[in-house]
Structure formats: structure tokens, C-alpha cells
């Protein structure tokens, strides 16, 4: 199994770009989405994902083992279920929903684009059958 | 997001490299207010061009659309441009979706490849069956740029 954890600087041009991005950031929309509380953000994002897969999403402090992240930042934990097995990449579609949740919640709670406040530094994903 | 704690100093947001993304991204399908039916329809057209049989297409909405695709492949060599070419064709440029999951199975139902990406966190995952990397043009370490980019 190969795991990837990469991102680059591909920039869209449709609305103009601020900084490094792989999507589109409208110039006028820095802050297009109102900043939400953690609970509100989790509630909103969870509604758009599969409730049969993504069961529990929480935000807390980074674990002590995450020594390289800013301890003032936030950390997500998510529980997903439905793995037919642990082989053959079967957990990938489940973990994907947790990945989507992390990114969406992070966007909704961030103080403003580019800010280092209220940043989610990582995620623990618990996967079960 | 990736941060580099400066010893004793302020936390610094890295300006390039692994996992770097911007908050507040609006991907094309969201910007265009694409309906799920339209997304499914154009995805089916792409899969047909690659001689893939559609098994399942779902559109999730963490914020904007994220696309889940399962399809059957009869011959990996039929995929022009390999797996990366398929992902590029599905997602377009600029990216249409904030997330993408693509799973291909052979005609016996065995999974050949599973790839996912979540572009708001700049993170992807990939698994492929033995030998599928060569057949589908999947590189090691860098894999498909669509998943990495």
C-alpha cells in the first residue's frame, strides 16, 4: 500500500488566487463563509457526509505524541465504520470521509484565510467494522 | 496544514511543500452551483470515454461537492494516460471537486486500485493491487499528480 501526503501549488485562475492553492479562492471572499463555532461547523459538515460512515467527529488538543505541531492548535478525532476488511485499501473510502470532514471543518472555523489561529493540525481516525 | 515550530519563536506557516493549502477555497463545481445530477452525468461521460463501466457515483457535500466513483475496468491498458489521466479527466482544471475517490475493479469484482484525495487538507491515499501500478502507470512515491497536486 502506498500512502500519499502531498500537496502542491497548483493555482486556478478563474477568480484570482491568494497564495498557494489547489482550488479557487475568490479575491473578494477572504472570509466568504462566516466563521463558525466548532460545534456548528461539525454539525454542518456532518450533514453533507455519509452518516453510516462518519459517526463521531470531535475537536480537541493535539496529542502529546504530535510533538511537531503547535500545541495551541486544534486536533480532530473521527470515528468511521464499515470496513469490510483491513486489506486491499478497504479503509480508504472511510478515511476519505474523515479527511473531507477535517478540511471542511477547518475552513469553517478558521479565523480568516491564512490565519494560524484555530487551525486543525491533524486528525486521528478510528476505523472499525 | 503544516506548521514549523520555530524554536522559542512564533509558529510559522510554511509557504510551500507537503500539505500546504489555503483555507476558503471554492472549487469549480461549488462556484458554478452544479447540481448532483449534472455532476453524475458528466462523470459518466468521462468514464465512458475511458471504457469503464459505471458501478456507483455519489456526490457528498462536506462544503462543496466531493465525488465518489466506483467503476469496472476490463483492461487497464485501455486507460489512456493511466490512472492519473483518468483522475485528471474526472476532476478537470481547476479542480471541480474538493474531494475525489476513485475505485476500479476488474470484471471479477476484485479491486484494482483505490485512490482518494481531500483537497482542503492537501492529503490523499492510494492502494493498488499487485501489478496494477505498472498497468495503470502509477508511479511510486509521487503517484498520480491529481492526488498529490
Amino acid at each position: 500500500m502506498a500512502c500519499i501526503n502531498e500537496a502542491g501549488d497548483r493555482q486556478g485562475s478563474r477568480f484570482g488566487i491568494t497564495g498557494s492553492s489547489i482550488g479557487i479562492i475568490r479575491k473578494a471572499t477572504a472570509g466568504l463563509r462566516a466563521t463558525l463555532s466548532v460545534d456548528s461547523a461539525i454539525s454542518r459538515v456532518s450533514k453533507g457526509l455519509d452518516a453510516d460512515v462518519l459517526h463521531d467527529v470531535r475537536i480537541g488538543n493535539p496529542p502529546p505524541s504530535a510533538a511537531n505541531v503547535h500545541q495551541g492548535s486544534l486536533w480532530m478525532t473521527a470515528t468511521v465504520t464499515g470496513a469490510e476488511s483491513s486489506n486491499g485499501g478497504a479503509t480508504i473510502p472511510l478515511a476519505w470521509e474523515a479527511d473531507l470532514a477535517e478540511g471542511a471543518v477547518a475552513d469553517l472555523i478558521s479565523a480568516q484565510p491564512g490565519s494560524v489561529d484555530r487551525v486543525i493540525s491533524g486528525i486521528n481516525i478510528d476505523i472499525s467494522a | 496544514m503544516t506548521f514549523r515550530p520555530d524554536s522559542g519563536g512564533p509558529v510559522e506557516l510554511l509557504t510551500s511543500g507537503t500539505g500546504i493549502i489555503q483555507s476558503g477555497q471554492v472549487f469549480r463545481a461549488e462556484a458554478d452551483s452544479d447540481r448532483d445530477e449534472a455532476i453524475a452525468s458528466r462523470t459518466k461521460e468521462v468514464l465512458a470515454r475511458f471504457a469503464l463501466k459505471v458501478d456507483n457515483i455519489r456526490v457528498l457535500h462536506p462544503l462543496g461537492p466531493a465525488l465518489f466513483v466506483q467503476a469496472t475496468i476490463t483492461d487497464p491498458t485501455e486507460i489512456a494516460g493511466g490512472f492519473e489521466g483518468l483522475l485528471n479527466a474526472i476532476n478537470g482544471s481547476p479542480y471541480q471537486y474538493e474531494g475525489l475517490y476513485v475505485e476500479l475493479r476488474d470484471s471479477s469484482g476484485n479491486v484494482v486500485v483505490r485512490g482518494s484525495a481531500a483537497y482542503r487538507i492537501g492529503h490523499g491515499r492510494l492502494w493498488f493491487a499487485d501489478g496494477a501500478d505498472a498497468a495503470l502507470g502509477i508511479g511510486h512515491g509521487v503517484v498520480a499528480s491529481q492526488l498529490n497536486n
Side-chain angles (χ1 to χ4, degrees):
Chain A
M1 176 174 176
C3 289
I4 315 161
N5 185 6
E6 289 279 342
D9 292 344
R10 181 174 183 172
Q11 297 188 353
S13 58
R14 190 166 228 183
F15 298 102
I17 292 296
T18 56
S20 170
S21 168
I22 52 176
I24 302 164
I25 298 177
R26 293 170 169 154
K27 283 181 178 174
T29 60
L32 171 68
R33 296 185 179 95
T35 300
L36 299 182
S37 69
V38 168
D39 288 345
S40 296
I42 290 173
S43 175
R44 174 176 167 180
V45 170
S46 296
K47 288 175 184 173
L49 296 172
D50 189 342
D52 291 333
V53 172
L54 188 67
H55 288 276
D56 187 31
V57 177
R58 301 182 187 203
I59 298 286
N61 297 319
S65 58
N68 291 327
V69 305
H70 174 39
Q71 289 299 307
S73 63
L74 304 173
W75 197 269
M76 177 176 278
T77 57
T79 302
V80 296
T81 61
E84 55 198 59
S85 75
S86 59
N87 298 321
T91 59
I92 290 179
L94 311 178
W96 178 61
E97 296 215 26
D99 293 339
L100 294 175
E102 181 189 358
V105 169
D107 257 24
L108 291 175
I109 67 173
S110 63
Q112 58 183 313
S115 170
V116 296
D117 294 331
R118 292 162 62 85
V119 160
I120 299 175
S121 289
I123 184 171
N124 284 354
I125 305 173
D126 297 323
I127 300 175
S128 58
Chain B
M1 293 189 176
T2 302
F3 289 87
R4 181 178 57 207
D6 195 356
S7 26
V11 174
E12 185 175 342
L13 178 61
L14 299 178
T15 55
S16 64
T18 301
I20 291 300
I21 44 84
Q22 283 262 337
S23 59
Q25 293 182 95
V26 179
F27 294 83
R28 191 159 49 134
E30 181 184 9
D32 292 347
S33 301
D34 288 349
R35 298 174 60 86
D36 290 0
E37 295 79 6
I39 291 170
S41 177
R42 68 172 174 246
T43 303
K44 289 177 182 175
E45 291 175 4
V46 171
L47 296 176
R49 289 208 312 267
F50 282 81
L52 297 168
K53 173 183 167 291
V54 178
D55 295 324
N56 189 17
I57 295 175
R58 295 167 54 216
V59 182
L60 304 179
H61 294 270
L63 289 181
L67 184 61
F68 178 99
V69 176
Q70 292 173 310
T72 297
I73 182 173
T74 54
D75 181 356
T77 61
E78 291 181 5
I79 296 187
F83 192 55
E84 179 179 356
L86 173 64
L87 299 175
N88 285 330
I90 291 174
N91 212 2
S93 178
Y95 290 174
Q96 300 188 82
Y97 312 113
E98 65 181 71
L100 181 62
Y101 174 82
V102 177
E103 174 181 311
L104 301 180
R105 295 174 181 257
D106 64 21
S107 53
S108 299
N110 301 308
V111 176
V112 175
V113 61
R114 286 177 160 125
S116 76
Y119 300 112
R120 293 193 188 282
I121 61 170
H123 183 86
R125 306 170 192 275
L126 183 75
W127 177 91
F128 47 82
D130 287 346
D133 49 341
L136 292 169
I138 297 171
H140 290 266
V142 293
V143 198
S145 62
Q146 181 81 15
L147 294 173
N148 284 343
N149 218 358

